[in-house]
């Protein structure tokens, strides 16, 4: 973690570092670390943290009318220069102990559940659906949050409602489905399919539901090229699929137990390119125009200014990988 004056460090996550800023604000810093199967690789992927930050800012702005979000600022005097371009100043929330997952296509652990019982998180689906098939309607498939290093556990809506209370559970479900529909519509305009995504929510100081964490990034959403979509097999995604494929293949030598090995340069480059492509395709913008990374002063500091909506709401402020025995298609992410 980077020492930041005036910010108290909190235990880091796999990818992001968290700092306290006073009593009611947090600073979320997206690193270039990359993880798989609940472990972190020793090799970073350049620009990954900037993509996650820039893309979240874009979506918070685009979807601010659906639900209030926790973003307070992404640039300006309260963002330390050392993390400019990869940090968000956010409202501190009482985070809900669950994740809200919406699926528009049948893939990952959802497809594994469907093959086993014909349903995903208790939602029955038509018989005969192929892997990657578009679902008749997007479905809400929540999961629990577990301790660091452990995979999340899929749950049905009744269990979800028991955890949150029915009224709040229904509010989260409706907000999640609307966020997905809006995100999927924007992705479709850009020639992409939004296969599935997860959202996180918290309760704000006024007691209302607030959208939190990251939003529709390559780490929290699965995007596919629309023109290349063919049901019946896994689809290439704009995320860390290149990393997973290499890791579970023979070239890595990984035994599914030991610490993750270093990534080869070609995998790092391919993964970096996929993250940057995801940002460009969704936003129509170049990452070169995003806020400068202090380590690279060659690019101009222009592009997305603070533009009302999410970023100005209050300013005076998934890995679903599951490691199984063997190296097979069962090692697909959730």
């Amino acid at each position: 973690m980077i020492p930041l004056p005036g910010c108290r460090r909190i235990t880091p996550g796999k990818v992001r570092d968290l700092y306290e800023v006073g009593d009611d604000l947090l600073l979320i810093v997206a690193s270039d670390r990359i993880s798989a199967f609940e472990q972190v690789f020793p090799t970073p992927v350049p620009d990954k943290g900037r993509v996650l930050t820039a893309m979240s800012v874009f979506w918070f702005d685009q979807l601010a009318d659906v639900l209030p979000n926790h973003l307070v600022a992404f640039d300006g005097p309260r963002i330390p220069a050392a993390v400019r371009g990869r940090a968000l100043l956010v409202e501190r929330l009482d985070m809900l102990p669950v994740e809200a997952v919406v699926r528009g296509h049948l893939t990952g652990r959802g497809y594994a559940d469907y093959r086993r019982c014909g349903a995903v998180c208790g939602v029955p689906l038509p018989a005969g659906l192929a892997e990657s098939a578009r679902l008749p309607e997007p479905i809400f498939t929540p999961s629990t949050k577990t301790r660091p290093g452990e995979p999340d556990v899929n749950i049905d809506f009744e269990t979800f409602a028991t955890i949150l209370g029915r009224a709040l559970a229904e509010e989260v479900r409706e907000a999640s489905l609307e966020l997905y529909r809006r995100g999927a519509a924007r992705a479709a305009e850009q020639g992409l399919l939004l296969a599935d995504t997860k959202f996180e929510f918290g309760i704000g100081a006024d007691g209302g539901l607030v959208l939190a964490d990251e939003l529709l990034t390559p780490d929290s959403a699965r995007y596919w090229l629309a023109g290349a979509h063919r049901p019946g097999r896994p689809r290439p995604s704009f995320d860390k699929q290149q990393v997973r494929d290499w890791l579970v293949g023979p070239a890595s030598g990984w035994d599914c137990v030991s610490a993750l090995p270093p990534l080869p340069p070609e995998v790092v480059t391919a993964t970096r390119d996929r993250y940057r492509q995801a940002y460009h395709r969704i936003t129509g913008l170049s990452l070169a125009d995003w806020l400068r990374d202090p380590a690279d002063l060659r690019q101009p500091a222009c592009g997305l200014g603070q533009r009302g909506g999410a970023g100005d709401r209050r300013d005076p402020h998934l890995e679903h990988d599951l490691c199984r025995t063997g190296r097979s298609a069962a090692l697909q992410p959730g």
Side-chain angles (χ1 to χ4, degrees):
M1 295 178 70
I2 301 171
L4 300 177
C7 303
R8 191 177 76 84
R9 187 175 74 179
I10 303 176
T11 303
K14 293 193 300 290
V15 172
R16 287 170 297 172
D17 298 327
L18 200 61
Y19 299 82
E20 287 183 335
V21 184
D23 294 331
D24 61 345
L25 300 178
L26 297 173
L27 188 73
I28 301 176
V29 179
S31 74
D32 288 339
R33 297 190 297 268
I34 192 164
S35 65
F37 306 110
E38 305 302 328
Q39 295 190 60
V40 177
F41 284 94
T43 316
V45 174
D47 286 332
K48 180 173 179 285
R50 296 178 67 221
V51 167
L52 299 183
T53 303
M55 216 157 162
S56 289
V57 168
F58 173 82
W59 282 117
F60 281 136
D61 182 68
Q62 292 287 309
L63 302 176
D65 61 314
V66 177
L67 193 74
N69 63 68
H70 69 163
L71 179 60
V72 171
F74 60 88
D75 197 13
R78 289 182 297 170
I79 302 295
V83 292
R84 185 172 185 262
R86 60 179 62 241
L88 300 178
L89 189 66
V90 302
E91 177 185 355
R92 189 164 196 161
L93 306 172
D94 182 10
M95 296 298 294
L96 302 186
V98 287
E99 289 187 341
V101 180
V102 179
R103 303 174 189 271
H105 289 77
L106 194 56
T107 189
R109 281 193 292 172
Y111 179 61
D113 289 349
Y114 171 76
R115 291 187 64 189
R116 184 174 63 251
C117 63
V120 182
C121 293
V123 179
L125 295 173
L129 293 178
E131 183 172 8
S132 304
R134 185 190 296 273
L135 299 175
E137 295 288 341
I139 59 173
F140 181 72
T141 59
S143 69
T144 62
K145 289 181 184 177
T146 53
R147 293 178 296 180
E150 296 181 359
D152 300 330
V153 178
N154 291 344
I155 55 176
D156 60 24
F157 183 75
E158 291 306 311
T159 303
F160 185 72
T162 299
I163 295 171
L164 295 185
R166 184 160 297 275
L168 180 57
E170 290 177 351
E171 184 179 5
V172 169
R173 177 173 62 182
E174 292 311 306
S176 299
L177 288 168
E178 181 60 18
L179 289 165
Y180 173 86
R181 285 190 283 262
R182 290 276 297 275
R186 167 73 190 198
E189 292 173 357
Q190 307 302 113
L192 298 176
L193 299 176
L194 178 57
D196 55 28
T197 189
K198 67 175 182 178
F199 305 106
E200 293 202 37
F201 300 90
I203 303 300
D206 63 356
L209 186 66
V210 179
L211 181 60
D213 202 60
E214 60 185 313
L215 181 57
L216 293 170
T217 72
D219 272 14
S220 64
R222 197 173 338 225
Y223 294 101
W224 298 334
L225 278 175
H229 179 64
R230 297 290 184 276
R233 55 181 177 171
R235 305 303 307 157
S237 303
F238 285 88
D239 57 14
K240 53 189 172 185
Q241 179 178 327
Q242 184 92 9
V243 168
R244 296 189 188 103
D245 290 347
W246 174 82
L247 181 62
V248 301
S252 74
W254 187 56
D255 59 8
C256 206
V257 176
S258 305
L260 300 184
L263 292 170
E266 63 273 15
V267 173
V268 171
T269 299
T271 304
R272 175 180 181 263
D273 289 346
R274 295 296 278 181
Y275 274 80
R276 290 173 65 100
Q277 286 178 39
Y279 175 71
H280 174 66
R281 284 179 175 273
I282 287 294
T283 68
L285 304 169
S286 169
L287 192 65
D289 292 330
W290 176 243
L291 306 173
R292 288 180 298 177
D293 189 318
D296 183 2
L297 302 181
R298 294 171 297 174
Q299 302 294 350
C302 60
L304 289 176
Q306 193 101 358
R307 299 181 301 167
D312 287 344
R313 184 168 61 86
R314 189 190 134 198
D315 193 8
H317 192 123
L318 169 242
E319 167 102 4
H320 291 298
D321 289 333
L322 178 62
C323 183
R324 301 180 177 89
T325 303
R327 300 170 182 271
S328 68
L331 285 170
Q332 292 297 319

